[in-house]
Every structure is written in structure tokens, then in C-alpha cells.
Amino acid sequence: MSNLDAETVQFVRETMIPPSAPPGRETGAVKWMRENLFSSWFNVIMTLLAIWFIWHFFVPMIPWFVNGVWNADSLRECREILDGRTGGCFAVLSERWKQLLFGFYPQTEYWRPILMFIWLAVAAAPIMFDNLPRKLLIATAIYPFAMVWLIWGGSIWGVLSVAAGFGLGYVAFKFADRKLEGLIPLLVGLAVAVVWWLFLRGPVAGGLQSILPFGLPSVGSRELGGFLICLIIGVSGIALSLPIGIILALGRISNLPLVKMICVGFIEFIRGVPLITLLFVASLLLNYFLPPKVTFDLVLRVIVMVTLFSSAYLAEVIRGGLAALPKGQYEAADALGLSYWQAQRLIIMPQALKISIPGIVNSFIGLFMDTSLVMFIGIFDMLGLAKAIRANTAWIGIYWELYIFIGLVFWVCCFGMSQYSQWLERKLRTDHH
Amino acid sequence: MTVVTEAKPTSAKSASDEIAVEIINMNKWYGTFHVLRDIDLTVRRGERIVIAGPSGSGKSTMIRCINRLEEHQSGKIIVDGTELTSDLKNIDKIRSEVGMCFQHFNLFPHLTILENCTLAPMHVRGIPKKEAEATAMHFLEKVKIPDQALKYPGMLSGGQQQRVAIARSLCMRPRIMLFDEPTSALDPEMIKEVLDTMVELAEEGMTMLCVTHEMGFARQVADRVIFMDQGQIVEQNEPEEFFNNPRSERTKLFLSQILGH
């Protein structure tokens, strides 16, 4: 071995090579098509089949949309205008879209549901996006009461007195919390609120109304319908079923046998019964079981049933998220001295819910679409209205236009939820940025 | 039980006569399996104890009993003068006085490093946010990673994560620290940085119980090494004696295996 060789073998790097950019790839449409559409014989055949399918089934639909008639009073008039050409009769939508959105809500009061829609967006915003000012949460807190008052109308004291029950319960809880321990303050708060609602609320609200009468014209539940009722039931169900689902999931994995038994029993019962059965119970049977003269509003009964139904499914989804958390997280929280509820609130739930986002949103989308089942208990949601419109002599025989519109409305809502959940998942990723 | 009469020079000034942890005749079963058998152990304040032994010998289980991550079935455990019973209040009190570091760090992945360190002081001790953050930064500087405070645990290396876990425990100002194999999940390059942090802590007089296989650490800082096998304390002695002159056959075998290469 020569000296030269020896020198080359002993090697010490003096400068580190900086990282370089990856080799530039060929780009362009042709390259993309070659790689993705025509990369093998099988792909070529599949591509051609797909093109044929699109040509055969979707292209013929184009004139139906393009030639569509938007101004006419009946299906017959539509056909006269079209004069034998292919085309949709979208006039039914331009004539009836208000009904599809608001049901039989009085026309003069349309501003109320519209204000409710806008307020809903404002109320949901600070919950969905944490970079918005926290003061917006006030709008969120008022929203449930404002929504009820705007939609159903009546004396404002009715809604305010119900809200006062929450306030009184909270004050009682805070007061009891200073002197008592454990669950007792919570029970005291609850008891005060219930006593207020059952015995004092009615007379107080009545008294205030006679002194300071202020209210909106009443609108009955039977007059609600269309997209409005779908949104009321859907949003209430979503907002109420998440906390109940969390409690049920925690109950199901609890060490306390009685709590566990109740939660398992509830979840298994609800999951074993179709929603439509529960809705029939809400609309027909509940009146038999309740004492005479005690009546709940039909929409309220439906909201309760939809919430219970959805919360049982959510509980199972969240239980899956809880099971996916490493045991070390519980141990670290314990070792730091956090109490059970602190650990749940600060450590366990934020992570378990994050893991369960896809499943939770899946349940929410399901719940939102299931609201159309209320058609079967005599509430005119969009599908119910479509049926009614088609029974009208002017629009007999119309079919696609209505259902495509309804499908589109549902799709926009559900696709929005799905997109939000994906954005949220990306935002909550903390492993690497 | 062997009573250590001759303490090392370093421990003479740090360990006092005050008792930090006392375990009396403690037994534990997993179902029918007898994991810990008649454990007797007294730890004085400021003492540094290393617990060694083959896997499955019950070392981790024993120190996890001290902050009630595991429940013992008979005998007594007295921490800082408070006996561990099923009384939840006592358990929470003891847990807030006893810090613990785990093999897999168990940082909270959804919170930043700083939030990991301020969470317990704020919610358990009720310390205001500003003050908790100042304390957290103090301890993060001590473990030499203040510049990572706003990152998430998933962006840090294993060694850095374990140092954050130590800082997180220290933020609660614990009087006793438990270490459950803190370096076993780390790459060799990172073990040193964690051990350095632990040595520094030991030099400040923290009462420490460490389950570890790092015998160099044991020699350097321990006042006492405890050897466990099959759920029992087989031998305990000061490190020099323990390593150079092990008494039981089981200890000799273990040491020959662990130091033999």
C-alpha cells in the first residue's frame, strides 16, 4: 500500500454538506395523466370505462339543468314553455322556497327565523374558532333562550324566568360550595332550580307579564317546518348530546357499579331501538304515561328523544377515544395530584375527544339527517313539505327538482361539518409542525 | 433489615434523622400473585436511594405504592407523616408532595412544555398563572431547555422530554422524588443528560428513590442501594459495600450479569 493510499483512507470531514433540495420532478398535465390515468393496461381500461360512464350518464343531464324553467305557476306551464325540450321545472323552487325553508311560519314574522339563523352563526363561531374574541361567548350563552323566544314567541318573561332558574341554581351552588363538600352543592343548586321551575316560575312570569307586558306573537309548533325545524332539532340535538355522551362514556368505564350499570343499561337500550320508534313514543305514547294536563310541546319531546338517541352513540365513540389513551396519561395526572374531574377536564377529555373527532362528526351528520324522520310523526320538514307540494294540483308529477334541492341543502350542511372537522383535526395536531 | 450505620460523607450532611417515607411490613398481590412480600423500608429526609433488581422483581411496583398509583393490601406506608389509606384527601395531599418521573415520560401531548409545567401548580395549588409560569421557566432553565418552552412534547427528543418531565414534577415543589426507570427508554446519547440533571438534583439534597439500571449513577450519588428479587428486599447497603462486597448469592449473580460486559 502506497503512502498516497494511506492518506486517502484516513479521512476527516472538515465541512458538512448542507442539505440540498430534492431532485426537480417533471411536472405538467401530460406527465400527471401518464402517471395517474394510463400507467398500466388495467388503468387504461378503467380510465376509458370511467369516461364512457360520465359521457353516458352525466352529460345528458346538462340540458336538463341548462334549459330549466324558473318562472311558471304550474308544471303544465313549465311544459308549455319547454315545448318538448328536455328541462327541469325549477319554478316550483322559486315559488315554494320560502315554504321549504320556513314551513308554515307566518310570512309577516319571517324576520324571526332569519334573525335566529344569523344569531346561530354568531353563537357557534366562538366555539368553533378559538381565535375569536371570547366576549362573543355571551351571544352563545344567550342563544338558547333567544332562539326559543324568537321562534315560538309569547311573553319574554316566560323565557327569562326559565333562564333565571339557571341563575338561581348557580348562585345556590356557589353558596353551598363554600360550606359543603363533594356532590352536595351540585344537588343543592339543582334542587333550587327545580323548585323555581316547578312552583315559582309560572306565577312570577305571569305577574311580570301583567305588570310589564312584552312579547312576540305566538307561533305554534305545528306551524314550524321545513329547513327551520330540521335546524332547530339538529342543532339542539348536537349541542345537548355531546355533554350527555361524555358523561355516559365516563359512567360506562366508572368503578362505581351502580353508575356503570345505569349507563350501560341506558346505552344498550337506546342503541337497540330504532330512532323512529323513539319518535313514535314521543309523539303518541308519552301522552298516555304523563299525568293528565301535563303536556310537553311536541318539538321539545322530539328534541329530547333525538338527544338521548344520539348521546348513546356518542358515548360509545368517546369510549373508544378514552380507550386509545395510554395509561401513562392517567398516571401522570394522578401523580401530579389532580383530582378525578380535573384530570378528566384538563388531560383526558381534550385528548380523547380529539381522537374521537371523526366518529363524533359522523354521529352529528347522522343525527342531522335523521331529523327528516320527523316527517313520520306529522311534522312537516322539507321532505314532508315536498310530499305536500306534490299533492298540489299545480305541481302534481314534479319529482326530481324538489328532491335534488333538498338533497343539496342537506349536503351543504353535512359537507360543511365534515370540512370543519378535518380542519379541526389538522389544527389540533401537535406532534410536528 | 440491614441498618446503615456508616453513611457516605455526602449523605452525612444532607440526610437528617427526620423520616420521609416509612414502609412497614407491606404486602401486595395482583390477583393471587404475591408481588411484594413483607417490605420494610425507612427513608430519611435527604436520602438518595437506588433500587436495583431483575425485571419483575417488584421495584417499580414498590415505588408506585408510595404515591398510591398501586394499592397495597396489607402493612403500612407512611409518607411525610401521613399514612396512605383509601382516604382520597390524604392521597391527593401525598401526591402533591411526591413528584414522579416515568419510564415513558408521560408528558401531556396536547399541551406545550410550559403548560405541562404550570398545569398542576395552577389547578392543584391554586397558584396564579404569572407566578406558575415564572416557576416553570426557573425549572426549565435548571434542566437546560428554557428555549423549548413553547413547543409541544412531540417535537422534543426523548432526553429533552424526560428533562421536561423532571421540571414538571419540580414545579410542584415536591419534598420527595420518585424515578421509575427514567433512562430505560432513552438512546445512549441522551441518558447522560438526564442523569446529569438527576445528579444535580441529588446534590441539592432532594429525597430521591430511583429505580434504575444505571450502576454508575448509583455509585456516584446513592446513599444506599437496595436490591430486590421476587418481590422482596434481598440486600441493602451503601454503594461501595454493595458493589465491591455483595453478601447474597442472588446479588452477586445479578451484579456479574449487569457489570460483566
Side-chain angles (χ1 to χ4, degrees):
Chain A
M1 200 190 273
S2 70
N3 276 343
L4 199 82
D5 275 338
E7 272 176 28
T8 57
V9 169
Q10 279 190 354
F11 170 74
V12 175
R13 184 179 289 287
E14 284 167 345
T15 50
M16 301 299 277
I17 302 171
S20 54
R25 262 194 231 109
E26 294 174 73
T27 46
V30 175
K31 167 81 178 170
W32 182 86
M33 275 164 61
R34 198 181 290 159
E35 268 184 0
N36 293 285
L37 300 179
F38 303 106
S39 60
S40 66
W41 277 113
F42 180 71
N43 270 6
V44 170
I45 293 168
M46 293 309 282
T47 304
L48 292 177
L49 266 176
I51 291 172
W52 176 82
F53 184 83
I54 291 167
W55 185 258
H56 198 76
F57 288 95
F58 289 99
V59 172
M61 287 187 195
I62 294 174
W64 190 78
F65 283 103
V66 173
N67 295 338
V69 176
W70 290 89
N71 279 312
D73 288 329
S74 67
L75 186 59
R76 187 188 302 174
E77 207 184 319
C78 272
R79 288 191 178 137
E80 280 165 11
I81 295 171
L82 282 168
D83 196 20
R85 283 175 301 154
T86 314
C89 183
F90 300 111
V92 67
L93 298 179
S94 19
E95 193 191 274
R96 299 292 187 104
W97 68 272
K98 283 181 187 163
Q99 203 179 30
L100 284 171
L101 286 186
F102 302 117
F104 304 114
Y105 211 85
Q107 300 242 1
T108 50
E109 306 288 326
Y110 272 176
W111 65 272
R112 283 155 56 177
I114 291 169
L115 181 59
M116 187 211 87
F117 286 144
I118 297 168
W119 199 330
L120 174 64
V122 175
I127 297 176
M128 291 169 70
F129 306 102
D130 63 356
N131 52 359
L132 291 172
R134 295 292 87 193
K135 279 192 180 147
L136 274 177
L137 282 171
I138 298 171
T140 313
I142 303 172
Y143 177 73
F145 307 104
M147 188 267 271
V148 169
W149 187 57
L150 280 173
I151 295 302
W152 279 275
S155 158
I156 195 167
W157 300 112
V159 185
L160 284 181
S161 61
V162 171
F166 286 100
L168 282 174
Y170 181 73
V171 170
F173 164 74
K174 275 284 158 195
F175 188 73
D177 200 28
R178 256 184 269 158
K179 308 213 166 127
L180 302 161
E181 281 172 5
L183 276 175
I184 299 168
L186 207 64
L187 294 176
V188 169
L190 201 67
V192 168
V194 168
V195 167
W196 166 261
W197 284 326
L198 286 184
F199 304 109
L200 300 170
R201 188 195 74 82
V204 170
L208 282 166
Q209 174 67 10
S210 58
I211 301 165
L212 265 175
F214 184 69
L216 290 167
S218 286
V219 176
S221 286
R222 287 282 167 201
E223 293 169 86
L224 305 180
F227 181 64
L228 177 63
I229 195 72
C230 173
L231 201 74
I232 292 173
I233 295 172
V235 169
S236 316
I238 285 171
L240 295 171
S241 64
L242 187 60
I244 298 176
I246 290 172
I247 301 286
L248 283 173
L250 290 177
R252 184 159 193 167
I253 57 169
S254 162
N255 292 326
L256 308 169
L258 189 66
V259 172
K260 186 176 177 159
M261 232 164 63
I262 293 172
C263 291
V264 171
F266 177 85
I267 292 170
E268 295 304 337
F269 171 74
I270 296 280
R271 289 204 307 165
V273 179
L275 177 58
I276 190 76
T277 317
L278 293 176
L279 290 178
F280 278 126
V281 169
S283 77
L284 304 169
L285 278 176
L286 222 53
N287 280 346
Y288 291 106
F289 295 133
L290 290 170
K293 286 192 184 169
V294 175
T295 50
F296 279 111
D297 185 82
L298 177 64
V299 174
L300 184 66
R301 280 180 273 163
V302 169
I303 288 175
V304 169
M305 285 302 180
V306 167
T307 302
L308 295 183
F309 186 78
S310 162
S311 61
Y313 283 87
L314 278 180
E316 289 298 283
V317 170
I318 294 165
R319 190 167 65 101
L322 287 169
L325 274 197
K327 204 169 152 241
Q329 292 291 308
Y330 293 88
E331 288 179 350
D334 282 346
L336 285 169
L338 294 169
S339 71
Y340 175 80
W341 288 109
Q342 282 176 328
Q344 289 300 338
R345 184 165 58 88
L346 301 164
I347 309 298
I348 307 303
M349 272 307 152
Q351 296 184 65
L353 290 178
K354 185 181 121 186
I355 298 170
S356 335
I357 287 174
I360 291 175
V361 172
N362 207 15
S363 291
F364 283 170
I365 288 177
L367 182 157
F368 194 70
M369 306 235 244
D370 282 349
T371 56
S372 55
L373 285 176
V374 297
M375 181 179 113
F376 294 107
I377 55 167
I379 294 177
F380 283 88
D381 78 315
M382 285 192 288
L383 286 174
L385 286 164
K387 218 173 156 189
I389 292 169
R390 290 187 334 110
N392 185 308
T393 45
W395 302 109
I396 266 184
I398 208 143
Y399 198 71
W400 287 101
E401 294 81 351
L402 281 170
Y403 289 121
I404 285 176
F405 173 76
I406 295 166
L408 201 66
V409 171
F410 272 114
W411 181 80
V412 166
C413 294
C414 297
F415 185 68
M417 281 193 249
S418 154
Q419 288 298 301
Y420 172 72
S421 82
Q422 285 175 37
W423 173 83
L424 193 64
E425 275 181 73
R426 278 196 302 275
K427 188 178 95 91
L428 293 178
R429 276 186 66 179
T430 55
D431 37 0
H432 35 176
H433 283 240
Chain B
M1 181 181 144
T2 319
V3 179
V4 182
T5 44
E6 297 170 356
K8 277 169 72 179
T10 48
S11 66
K13 60 174 188 279
S14 56
S16 66
D17 293 336
E18 202 185 328
I19 289 169
V21 180
E22 195 172 14
I23 301 176
I24 305 162
N25 202 17
M26 187 254 282
N27 281 277
K28 175 171 176 60
W29 289 264
Y30 282 133
T32 53
F33 179 59
H34 200 172
V35 230
L36 293 176
R37 307 177 193 181
D38 295 341
I39 302 286
D40 280 297
L41 178 69
T42 306
V43 182
R44 280 166 297 141
R45 184 157 310 290
E47 224 181 344
R48 281 90 56 155
I49 291 180
V50 163
I51 301 154
S55 63
S57 59
K59 350 179 257 301
S60 289
T61 311
M62 185 181 82
I63 69 162
R64 286 157 62 87
C65 282
I66 294 173
N67 64 353
R68 195 79 169 189
L69 288 183
E70 304 280 353
E71 205 173 318
H72 61 283
Q73 274 93 37
S74 76
K76 271 187 181 181
I77 301 177
I78 300 162
V79 182
D80 248 348
T82 312
E83 195 190 336
L84 266 176
T85 55
S86 53
D87 184 349
L88 287 174
K89 267 201 168 160
N90 279 350
I91 294 173
D92 281 343
K93 179 171 169 269
I94 287 170
R95 281 175 176 167
S96 63
E97 303 291 332
V98 178
M100 181 155 193
C101 288
F102 300 87
Q103 183 178 359
H104 296 289
F105 334 131
N106 297 352
L107 294 176
F108 305 129
H110 63 301
L111 301 176
T112 62
I113 300 306
L114 189 63
E115 286 165 342
N116 262 280
C117 294
T118 56
L119 182 105
M122 280 165 63
H123 289 97
V124 177
R125 293 247 194 274
I127 291 169
K129 191 175 178 194
K130 280 258 165 63
E131 201 184 320
E133 280 179 351
T135 312
M137 285 315 290
H138 168 75
F139 283 113
L140 285 174
E141 266 159 40
K142 206 170 132 90
V143 300
K144 302 185 182 67
I145 29 180
D147 46 327
Q148 314 280 5
L150 298 178
K151 288 192 182 171
Y152 287 94
M155 305 169 196
L156 269 56
S157 73
Q160 289 174 321
Q161 289 194 45
Q162 191 61 289
R163 283 184 285 150
V164 171
I166 294 172
R168 177 175 75 177
S169 296
L170 293 178
C171 284
M172 286 293 279
R173 310 257 182 204
R175 309 183 68 177
I176 301 160
M177 282 289 291
L178 308 175
F179 292 88
D180 188 1
E181 305 204 23
T183 55
S184 302
L186 295 175
D187 291 338
E189 265 189 323
M190 297 168 182
I191 291 178
K192 189 178 174 300
E193 64 187 51
V194 171
L195 288 181
D196 284 348
T197 310
M198 289 168 65
V199 169
E200 203 180 311
L201 201 59
E203 281 166 357
E204 287 169 13
M206 175 68 80
T207 312
M208 291 165 73
L209 282 91
C210 312
V211 172
T212 182
H213 297 297
E214 299 297 329
M215 291 303 134
F217 172 78
R219 264 182 207 275
Q220 192 185 344
V221 304
D223 296 312
R224 230 193 309 168
V225 179
I226 290 175
F227 177 71
M228 287 182 73
D229 189 31
Q230 293 176 18
Q232 301 160 78
I233 295 179
V234 175
E235 184 165 350
Q236 51 177 318
N237 213 331
E238 59 180 278
E240 284 306 310
E241 277 292 296
F242 178 84
F243 288 112
N244 299 336
N245 193 13
R247 310 259 166 83
S248 88
E249 287 306 311
R250 189 66 193 85
T251 316
K252 284 175 193 164
L253 180 66
F254 176 76
L255 286 176
S256 74
Q257 279 165 345
I258 202 166
L259 303 172
H261 55 82

